[in-house]
Amino acid sequence: MSANNLPNGNSSAPTSKKGTDKLNGSSPSGPSVHDASTLSDVRAALAALHVRETVITDRLNALLSSQADLSRELGRLDLLRANLGSQVIATRSISNGMLSSAADTAGRLSSRVKGLDLEKDRVQQTLKVVEQVAELKACVHGVVGSMGAPQDWEAAAGYISRASKVPEPIIRGGFAASMVPSVEVPDAPWITLENAKESLCGLFLREFEKAAKEGDGAKVTRFFKLFPLIGRGDVGLDVYGRYVCQGVAGTARATLKATPGDAGTKDGFFYANALTKLFEHIAQIVESHGGLVERHYGEGKMIKVIERLQMEADVQGGIVLDSWSDERGVDRKLTDAKSYPFSFLVQSFLTPQRTLTGTPRMNSPAIGGGTNPRDSEDEGVDMKEVDGLLSEISVMLGRWSLYSRFLAGKCKSPDSPEDAPLSIPEVVTKSDLSRKISARLTTPYNSLALFFFRRSVEKAFQLDESPTGLSLSLNKPIDANAPYIISAVDDVMYIVSAIIRKAISTSQREVIASVIPDVGRVLGGSDFIGMVQRRMRDESYPQPVVQGGLPPENKIISFIVLINSLDVAKDYLARIITQQLGISPDQPNGTSQPNALAASFPFEHDLTFVTSALKNLNSTFSLKTSELISDALRVLFTAVVKPRLKSVLVEAFRDADYWRSEDELAEIARLNDEEEDEVIDRVQRRFEHGWDTLMKPIARLMTAKTFTALVDLTATDLSKTLEKRVWSYSGKTSAYGAIRMERDFSGIVSTVSKGNYSVRELFARVMQILMVADMEDDEWEELGGDDGDDGIEWVLNEDERRRARNLVKT
């Protein structure tokens, strides 16, 4: 074997190595000639190559020895292939000789069967044509016979209806043209049928109109049912629409002429009732006749009658609205309302002119004496008339909504699911009456509702009265009933409830979109809240008369009453909105009663819109009142509570001697002939007496929520004051004095938090300072010292805790 065929040879090393690896099954592991550096290395590499050569030679010999067996097996396979080839040839010859005739026979049978099926189909088609032509001939002769002497119009219409089921190509085909005509009926069948339809249609029209004039309902129904049988359904629906519209028009005219020329037409709801009767009449027709139309004319055909009825409703409803508008002078009232000056509200913006004697403004400008020009201002707009107009418009809009909802249900697609939201049909939205209602009812209602509410707010403040007999002295009983608020709150919230309820009763999204935001602007803007705020600032601000003194009692009481008024107004409005939304206040999250607003606003997305508008009104007003109440409580605390609280604290801590020991305190009690417990509890008793004297008169006048908020403000400030006082004793307090201090301060906290335990959290810093100061050394070490890793939720940082440990003098 030459060196070129070895893996370590010099020629084509990669190829040789690859082939050798495949042969050996592994890569060479012996020494390489290329790596040999000495003669012994070359000999060792040569020896390794000889070993590998021997192995490869043995394997090649084994392969060559097995070649004979492979050749023998291949020969056997060739022999079998030859035998199979002869068998295939024999099989094919048998198939061609024996089965070809059978295949030909089967092909001929299949062709015959197809031919028979085709002939059978043609025969059936021919029979069907013959039967149809026979039916056509019978119908044609039946129509002619029925229209003759018998004059059986139902039978004639029935024959035409039967003939209409015969395909048009058959009717106009040559076979029918040759077979159907006879001596009695010589014309082609389609000509005969068409002439009969025209003749019967004219006859039915004449008979229908005659029966309509005579008021013969049975005869009207009889001929109305025949129009679709002769293929004139559109004519029948049109003439029927005219017929029912005549009834609608006649009823509407009779309603308007019920009380001509006398005072009856001026009744507040005369035109609303007229419009209601119009809608009810149309709804009655649609409900009672809808089944008849659908049954004889087909599903969905009643919509055409509804469209014709709506056209009549446009005319008659327009007449009612025009007459109502002229009779009530709506345009004039709108002009008067838009030009109304609201003098009282405007003048309330002006800075009040104080007299030299300091007398507060009384009844100005509302009742400023006989010379006040405001006395005659109401003559331009009669509020009772405006209220009556709003009531009448709300009734008419509510009836229009019910009518629209009824038609929406009748025009609803039968394929739509039952729980699908309603949508207003085009027959309503595109009608002239819809546009006239928007212009004559919706727009005036929105404008008049805004005027009526704003004028009501103005009137409420003009006639406003504050509760009498209020006093900050606990010795004087109060005759009035809590909560103590101005009368304007009750009046305004009553009007708010009426306005919202009336707007919802219209079931009109456009009304809600205008009225509810207007109510919010009047309440939360410069009118209601603005008026209360200006009275707080200009008339009732608790400002001391002399520097360093306390405000006058009447100012404090008036200021508290205005705070109460805002709080109660917020609660009133929340209750009104809750009732309108149908939310149960007993549930934690509020559960809506089914069909509360949904019944009034069934159209898609309307309910969501109305709910959102009401909730926005409540949240916006609540936010603005809460902000003003918060500001007012800060003023009340700063001007009234804080100065007196300082005096209470000075008196409570008078002669506080926390630097004394227990024996020294006992000696002082003995010298003063007092009990030791009396001396120990002196700070608590003094503070409780001063606190009750300060806060109980205020609590008697304020609402629960506002007083709680005032106590929170007071407690926040008091906690800071007490904390400063604690730090002021740093290094001056005895161990026994620290214990007394913690007891006194705990008593103060208990007094302030009486009835409201959460107030204690505001004193957390003070109590933790005293707790740390009173701890024994081993107890302090057990809690972890100033590391804070002791399970206590500290509000003091490490430096403050360390400082608190040094509170007691060493």
Side-chain angles (χ1 to χ4, degrees):
M1 184 176 292
S2 64
N4 290 335
N5 295 327
L6 294 176
N8 292 331
N10 294 326
S11 65
S12 186
T15 305
S16 299
K17 186 174 181 180
K18 184 177 180 183
T20 306
D21 289 345
K22 288 183 179 180
L23 194 59
N24 293 338
S26 63
S27 61
S29 60
S32 173
V33 176
H34 296 286
D35 298 332
S37 59
T38 62
L39 181 60
S40 60
D41 292 340
V42 173
R43 287 176 179 174
L46 183 61
L49 290 175
H50 282 307
V51 172
R52 291 183 61 201
E53 180 183 13
T54 303
V55 173
I56 292 171
T57 302
D58 291 342
R59 293 185 66 187
L60 288 174
N61 289 336
L63 290 173
L64 290 174
S65 64
S66 64
Q67 185 176 3
D69 295 336
L70 292 173
S71 299
R72 186 165 54 254
E73 292 298 329
L74 288 173
R76 289 178 60 192
L77 288 174
D78 289 338
L79 182 60
L80 289 173
R81 185 179 65 179
N83 290 335
L84 286 174
S86 62
Q87 294 296 329
V88 169
I89 293 172
T91 301
R92 286 178 180 171
S93 63
I94 292 172
S95 175
N96 294 332
M98 297 178 63
L99 299 179
S100 60
S101 59
D104 293 341
T105 303
R108 289 195 299 274
L109 288 175
S110 177
S111 299
R112 290 289 182 88
V113 170
K114 289 181 181 179
L116 288 174
D117 288 342
L118 180 61
E119 290 178 4
K120 181 180 178 181
D121 184 60
R122 288 174 178 173
V123 169
Q124 289 178 346
Q125 290 181 0
T126 302
L127 287 175
K128 186 176 181 181
V129 170
V130 171
E131 290 173 357
Q132 290 174 339
V133 171
E135 173 71 6
L136 178 64
K137 185 172 183 177
C139 291
V140 169
H141 286 79
V143 168
V144 174
S146 299
M147 292 176 65
Q151 292 189 347
D152 190 348
W153 312 126
E154 283 80 0
Y159 282 125
I160 291 178
S161 178
R162 284 170 54 188
S164 66
K165 298 176 183 177
V166 178
E168 190 67 21
I170 301 297
I171 296 177
R172 294 182 175 275
F175 183 65
S178 60
M179 298 301 298
V180 173
S182 63
V183 176
E184 294 83 5
V185 187
D187 295 328
W190 63 88
I191 296 176
T192 303
L193 290 175
E194 193 62 33
N195 292 337
K197 289 179 183 179
E198 292 296 331
S199 177
L200 289 175
C201 182
L203 175 67
F204 294 165
L205 279 174
R206 291 190 297 272
E207 293 296 328
F208 184 94
E209 291 172 354
K210 180 181 177 183
K213 289 180 180 179
E214 296 173 354
D216 190 346
K219 201 172 182 182
V220 166
T221 303
R222 173 195 174 190
F223 286 100
F224 174 65
K225 294 188 293 185
L226 298 180
F227 283 102
L229 297 179
I230 62 174
R232 297 295 187 269
D234 291 342
V235 177
L237 291 174
D238 184 65
V239 68
Y240 176 74
R242 290 201 305 270
Y243 163 68
V244 293
C245 286
Q246 288 175 1
V248 169
T251 303
R253 284 193 294 268
T255 302
L256 288 178
K257 292 179 181 179
T259 50
D262 59 20
T265 55
K266 298 182 183 295
D267 175 70
F269 293 94
F270 174 79
Y271 291 100
N273 292 332
L275 199 63
T276 301
K277 289 179 181 179
L278 172 65
F279 293 151
E280 287 178 348
H281 190 188
I282 294 175
Q284 225 173 20
I285 292 172
V286 173
E287 186 66 31
S288 59
H289 296 189
L292 176 69
V293 174
E294 300 281 343
R295 185 167 60 252
H296 292 283
Y297 284 77
E299 191 174 16
K301 294 298 184 181
M302 189 62 192
I303 295 178
K304 187 170 183 180
V305 179
I306 292 175
E307 292 173 353
R308 187 70 182 82
L309 285 169
Q310 184 57 46
M311 293 172 64
E312 188 62 34
D314 293 345
V315 175
Q316 301 303 327
I319 294 173
V320 173
L321 293 180
D322 290 339
S323 302
W324 167 81
S325 181
D326 294 340
E327 178 78 22
R328 302 289 187 252
V330 176
D331 293 337
R332 178 181 56 81
K333 289 184 174 61
L334 278 174
T335 303
D336 293 342
K338 290 177 181 179
S339 61
Y340 187 81
F342 295 101
S343 302
F344 179 76
L345 294 177
V346 172
Q347 290 183 21
S348 68
F349 284 100
L350 305 177
T351 304
Q353 296 180 357
R354 304 183 182 275
T355 61
L356 295 176
T357 59
T359 304
R361 182 177 66 173
M362 297 294 294
N363 301 328
S364 173
I367 316 174
T371 59
N372 193 339
R374 288 285 301 116
D375 291 342
S376 61
E377 187 172 298
D378 285 342
E379 295 178 1
V381 182
D382 190 335
M383 291 293 287
K384 289 184 178 180
E385 289 186 6
V386 173
D387 187 31
L389 267 182
L390 290 173
S391 299
E392 193 172 11
I393 295 175
S394 66
V395 170
M396 288 193 280
L397 288 176
R399 298 297 184 268
W400 168 251
S401 179
L402 287 174
Y403 173 74
S404 301
R405 189 186 320 170
F406 173 78
L407 293 187
K410 291 300 179 180
C411 296
K412 187 177 180 181
S413 173
D415 299 330
S416 59
E418 293 184 3
D419 57 348
L422 290 176
S423 58
I424 305 178
E426 289 188 356
V427 66
V428 174
T429 57
K430 294 184 177 180
S431 64
D432 293 338
L433 184 57
S434 175
R435 289 188 288 271
K436 180 157 285 191
I437 282 180
S438 177
R440 291 285 191 181
L441 297 182
T442 305
T443 301
Y445 184 90
N446 295 339
S447 300
L448 290 175
L450 172 59
F451 163 77
F452 180 79
F453 180 54
R454 196 173 181 212
R455 177 66 187 108
S456 298
V457 171
E458 183 183 54
K459 195 73 173 177
F461 279 104
Q462 283 179 279
L463 304 177
D464 181 39
E465 295 179 355
S466 294
T468 58
L470 303 183
S471 173
L472 290 175
S473 174
L474 294 177
N475 298 325
K476 294 182 180 179
I478 298 177
D479 297 331
N481 296 322
Y484 307 115
I485 60 175
I486 58 177
S487 63
V489 171
D490 288 328
D491 297 339
V492 169
M493 288 303 151
Y494 175 79
I495 298 298
V496 168
S497 178
I499 286 285
I500 293 177
R501 186 172 62 251
K502 199 171 290 185
I504 290 176
S505 71
T506 65
S507 300
Q508 295 294 314
R509 175 172 176 162
E510 293 77 10
V511 170
I512 298 296
S514 175
V515 171
I516 300 302
D518 286 344
V519 170
R521 282 190 290 271
V522 173
L523 284 179
S526 60
D527 292 338
F528 181 77
I529 289 183
M531 181 67 74
V532 175
Q533 184 178 18
R534 290 188 290 275
R535 285 192 175 183
M536 284 180 166
R537 182 191 64 204
D538 300 334
E539 299 177 10
S540 305
Y541 195 84
Q543 187 173 1
V545 179
V546 295
Q547 187 69 24
L550 292 175
E553 181 179 355
N554 66 321
K555 294 285 187 179
I556 298 173
I557 293 174
S558 178
F559 198 74
I560 290 175
V561 167
L562 291 176
I563 294 175
N564 292 345
S565 300
L566 288 173
D567 184 52
V568 172
K570 180 174 68 172
D571 289 343
Y572 277 176
L573 183 64
R575 201 178 311 160
I576 292 169
I577 299 301
T578 298
Q579 290 175 352
Q580 294 300 332
L581 292 176
I583 298 175
S584 174
D586 300 331
Q587 299 296 331
N589 296 324
T591 56
S592 296
Q593 301 173 1
N595 299 325
L597 280 178
S600 298
F601 296 91
F603 296 111
E604 52 185 348
H605 308 309
D606 281 6
L607 179 61
T608 304
F609 175 82
V610 174
T611 303
S612 176
L614 292 173
K615 289 182 177 179
N616 288 340
L617 170 63
N618 186 30
S619 61
T620 303
F621 183 73
S622 176
L623 178 63
K624 291 183 177 181
T625 51
S626 298
E627 290 176 352
L628 185 54
I629 289 172
S630 179
D631 293 341
L633 288 175
R634 289 193 195 95
V635 170
L636 185 65
F637 169 74
T638 304
V640 178
V641 177
K642 190 172 183 178
R644 297 186 183 184
L645 186 61
K646 287 182 180 179
S647 303
V648 171
L649 290 174
V650 169
E651 174 62 22
F653 287 99
R654 179 169 53 86
D655 302 330
D657 44 6
Y658 296 118
W659 51 273
R660 296 184 183 276
S661 65
E662 186 175 5
D663 295 337
E664 291 174 334
L665 196 67
E667 179 64 21
I668 291 175
R670 187 182 64 80
L671 292 175
N672 293 333
D673 197 18
E674 292 179 330
E675 293 290 336
E676 187 176 351
D677 290 341
E678 246 182 73
V679 176
I680 293 174
D681 296 336
R682 188 163 50 197
V683 173
Q684 298 181 42
R685 289 198 315 272
R686 287 174 179 173
F687 180 83
E688 185 174 5
H689 177 267
W691 177 265
D692 290 344
T693 304
L694 169 62
M695 300 303 289
K696 278 189 176 180
I698 297 176
R700 188 171 69 153
L701 299 182
M702 299 186 75
T703 62
K705 284 192 292 186
T706 56
F707 181 70
T708 299
L710 179 63
V711 170
D712 289 343
L713 275 175
T714 306
T716 301
D717 183 81
L718 180 59
S719 67
K720 296 176 182 177
T721 303
L722 294 179
E723 183 179 349
K724 290 179 182 178
R725 181 173 289 272
V726 170
W727 291 127
S728 69
Y729 292 124
S730 181
K732 305 174 186 177
T733 308
S734 65
Y736 182 66
I739 295 173
R740 286 176 53 215
M741 190 187 304
E742 184 178 12
R743 181 175 177 178
D744 290 343
F745 281 45
S746 297
I748 291 174
V749 172
S750 297
T751 300
V752 174
S753 62
K754 194 181 298 181
N756 186 8
Y757 191 82
S758 62
V759 174
R760 288 179 172 269
E761 298 177 1
L762 301 174
F763 296 92
R765 286 181 57 83
V766 176
M767 301 314 297
Q768 283 191 5
I769 292 171
L770 295 174
M771 179 187 71
V772 172
D774 287 341
M775 282 183 179
E776 299 292 339
D777 291 338
D778 55 349
E779 190 179 5
W780 173 250
E781 292 174 0
E782 185 180 342
L783 287 176
D786 53 8
D787 295 336
D789 188 15
D790 45 26
I792 297 177
E793 187 177 348
W794 292 100
V795 293
L796 302 176
N797 56 39
E798 293 183 13
D799 293 337
E800 289 170 334
R801 292 198 293 272
R802 200 176 297 115
R803 183 182 173 191
R805 287 297 294 167
N806 298 324
L807 192 65
V808 179
K809 64 182 178 180
T810 56

